[in-house]
Amino acid sequence: MDPVLARQTMVNEQLKARGIKDARVISAFLEVPRHKFVEEYLKYKAYEDYPLTIGFGQTISQPYMVALMTQALMPLSDSKILEIGTGSGYQSAILSRLCRVVHSIERISALASRARKTHDELGYFNIHVRIGDGTMGLAKESPFDGIVVTAGAPYVPEALIAQLGEGGKLIIPVGDENLQDLRRITRMNDRVKEESLGGCRFVKLIGKKGWTD
Ligand code: SAH
């Protein structure tokens, strides 16, 4: 497998073909080596059109889903972003190419350590991975320009809306264990605007303001 070629094919056939048009988002997907975020025996499948296991019952999302969430977040080069659910660290790596700083929270410490190691090896130094329950957000680093939740929530945790800055966007899958609705919630003055971006299926968001373990 030639990873450069594999990324070009992924971008053309999975992202552009389905309406991912943002030039900055496309260039991040061409740059980030997705095969470094999966285990050795799965590397040959890293650029395929589906999620892959990363151990501990968790998955690295399908490339298109990562792109859809990233584009919906509309990150700018000076943005400060929070991700809930570091997993492999791939989504945070994509965001790190587009923003000033990315904070990411993961509840499984072994996944957090592995993601940190991958980020270090790639020289992605503007990502800060923490171990903890992301359903409470990260008050001390707030407000955020954007928050992306990469696990399925039973409802929207209120702390996440509270930690958005003016005009900030929260991207979150909300629903039951099998199917969720991907939502974009934008904070505007004291109001919130809510949009649906379609159906999706994520692993469970487990925490104080999520599913129980
Ligand atoms: N964004 C990841 C995919 C995440 S899979 C990637 O790019 O690979 C969802 C992750 O969310 C899992 O690793 C799971 O352990 C984590 N998770 C679930 N509930 C969480 C919570 N309350 N706080 C932090 N992480 C959580």
Side-chain angles (χ1 to χ4, degrees), residues 40 42 65 82 147:
E40 199 59 45
L42 287 174
M65 191 48 66
L82 174 65
I147 301 179

Side-chain angles (χ1 to χ4, degrees), residues 16-94:
K16 286 187 178 167
R18 294 190 185 120
I20 304 297
K21 297 276 153 66
D22 187 306
R24 294 178 71 241
V25 174
I26 294 290
S27 68
F29 278 82
L30 288 173
E31 177 186 340
V32 177
R34 183 171 160 98
H35 61 285
K36 307 262 187 196
F37 294 83
V38 299
E39 286 175 69
E40 199 59 45
Y41 78 102
L42 287 174
K43 285 203 188 317
Y44 75 105
K45 288 184 175 173
Y47 296 96
E48 297 296 321
D49 195 12
Y50 40 70
L52 290 169
T53 177
I54 52 172
F56 307 93
Q58 309 303 325
T59 54
I60 174 174
S61 305
Q62 176 196 25
Y64 171 69
M65 191 48 66
V66 181
L68 181 66
M69 293 175 102
T70 305
Q71 183 169 269
L73 205 53
M74 297 184 194
L76 300 174
S77 53
D78 65 348
S79 293
K80 177 165 63 170
I81 303 291
L82 174 65
E83 178 197 30
I84 317 295
T86 315
S88 69
Y90 179 67
Q91 168 82 77
S92 47
I94 291 285

Side-chain angles (χ1 to χ4, degrees), residues 58-59 83 85-88 91 105-108 133-134 150 206:
Q58 309 303 325
T59 54
E83 178 197 30
T86 315
S88 69
Q91 168 82 77
I105 310 177
E106 171 56 53
R107 61 183 287 273
I108 300 174
D133 176 9
T150 63
I206 297 169

Side-chain angles (χ1 to χ4, degrees), residues 11-201:
V11 160
N12 290 332
E13 294 179 1
Q14 300 171 37
L15 308 193
K16 286 187 178 167
R18 294 190 185 120
I20 304 297
K21 297 276 153 66
D22 187 306
R24 294 178 71 241
V25 174
I26 294 290
S27 68
F29 278 82
L30 288 173
E31 177 186 340
V32 177
R34 183 171 160 98
H35 61 285
K36 307 262 187 196
F37 294 83
V38 299
E39 286 175 69
E40 199 59 45
Y41 78 102
L42 287 174
K43 285 203 188 317
Y44 75 105
K45 288 184 175 173
Y47 296 96
E48 297 296 321
D49 195 12
Y50 40 70
L52 290 169
T53 177
I54 52 172
F56 307 93
Q58 309 303 325
T59 54
I60 174 174
S61 305
Q62 176 196 25
Y64 171 69
M65 191 48 66
V66 181
L68 181 66
M69 293 175 102
T70 305
Q71 183 169 269
L73 205 53
M74 297 184 194
L76 300 174
S77 53
D78 65 348
S79 293
K80 177 165 63 170
I81 303 291
L82 174 65
E83 178 197 30
I84 317 295
T86 315
S88 69
Y90 179 67
Q91 168 82 77
S92 47
I94 291 285
L95 289 169
S96 77
R97 305 300 83 200
L98 299 167
C99 307
R100 181 169 57 82
V101 62
V102 181
H103 294 277
S104 184
I105 310 177
E106 171 56 53
R107 61 183 287 273
I108 300 174
S109 59
L111 288 176
S113 316
R114 201 160 72 194
R116 278 187 193 126
K117 190 163 167 269
T118 310
H119 294 154
D120 284 351
E121 282 167 7
L122 292 169
Y124 296 168
F125 298 125
N126 58 338
I127 312 170
H128 305 285
V129 175
R130 291 158 199 267
I131 298 161
D133 176 9
T135 63
M136 310 305 285
L138 189 60
K140 66 176 177 187
E141 298 290 348
S142 68
F144 296 99
D145 301 298
I147 301 179
V148 58
V149 181
T150 63
Y155 56 88
V156 180
E158 62 271 34
L160 302 186
I161 294 178
Q163 292 173 26
L164 284 176
E166 175 59 26
K169 292 179 168 53
L170 167 64
I171 313 295
I172 182 167
V174 185
D176 62 30
E177 292 171 40
N178 298 314
L179 184 68
Q180 301 101 34
D181 177 36
L182 187 63
R183 295 197 195 150
R184 174 164 67 184
I185 297 165
T186 308
R187 183 169 182 172
M188 303 152 94
N189 301 316
D190 284 332
R191 289 179 41 241
V192 291
K193 179 173 112 183
E194 204 162 325
E195 300 157 273
S196 170
L197 307 176
C200 55
R201 189 178 181 174

